[in-house]
Amino acid sequence: MNRMDMCDEDKFNDDVQELSFGGKFLRLFSELERCGEIEQKQKIGEMNEIIDGMNKVEWKSVFKAELFDEIHTMVKEKKMSMENAILLLKHAGYCKALKNVWSLGFNDSEMRRRFEKMIFEEAKKKEEEKEKLIIDLCECYISLSYDFPHESLSICMPCLLKVALNEEENEKLKRKRK
């Protein structure tokens, strides 16, 4: 076997490795519909670990509008809680940002429209007990989107800046206590 053949074999093995991340993720995703709330959380934890191993190409091949639309449908049909959807999408958005992936999938999905609607509705209510929900929605929305209407940013940015400021203040208090 010459050097070029070995490089081709290594590239083939890398491609197989890439496909295995997507395949594992999609297999677990297809099982979510038949799981209860707790088992879904466990599977989503496994899926989040798989997302960590994905590269840009793999991420883009999995997180297409169809996947986001399927998540939307599952939430709508109460086959997945919004809490579990956020758990999955928040991690996907975080990894998208870390990997610097440019993807249009979320922007073209029903899930984005659902998040926008929920963000606007929750912002109007201004209920303290729903503050975590709007924070989670904004985190998902901003990390998964590639463009933002002014109205969305005017709600999400102050919300996320408030969270960051609170975290910074909590860190300062912890350091003072030590």
Side-chain angles (χ1 to χ4, degrees), residues 96-118:
K96 176 185 177 270
L98 277 180
K99 297 169 192 303
N100 197 26
V101 176
W102 181 260
S103 172
L104 307 178
F106 182 72
N107 279 50
D108 298 333
S109 72
E110 288 297 316
M111 198 73 213
R112 177 191 170 136
R113 289 181 272 291
R114 181 186 195 109
F115 274 16
E116 286 174 344
K117 182 180 178 196
M118 290 177 72

Side-chain angles (χ1 to χ4, degrees), residues 21 47-55 91 94-95 99:
F21 284 123
M47 293 163 68
N48 285 343
E49 288 178 21
I50 292 169
I51 294 170
D52 290 338
M54 291 180 179
N55 63 28
H91 192 77
Y94 174 76
C95 287
K99 297 169 192 303

Side-chain angles (χ1 to χ4, degrees), residues 61-96:
S61 73
V62 170
F63 288 94
K64 296 179 178 181
E66 296 83 10
L67 181 80
F68 294 114
D69 286 342
E70 182 63 27
I71 294 169
H72 173 263
T73 300
M74 290 171 70
V75 170
K76 185 177 168 183
E77 294 176 354
K78 299 188 182 335
K79 294 177 181 177
M80 177 188 281
S81 68
M82 180 55 78
E83 181 183 334
N84 281 350
I86 287 172
L87 187 64
L88 177 61
L89 294 174
K90 190 188 278 192
H91 192 77
Y94 174 76
C95 287
K96 176 185 177 270

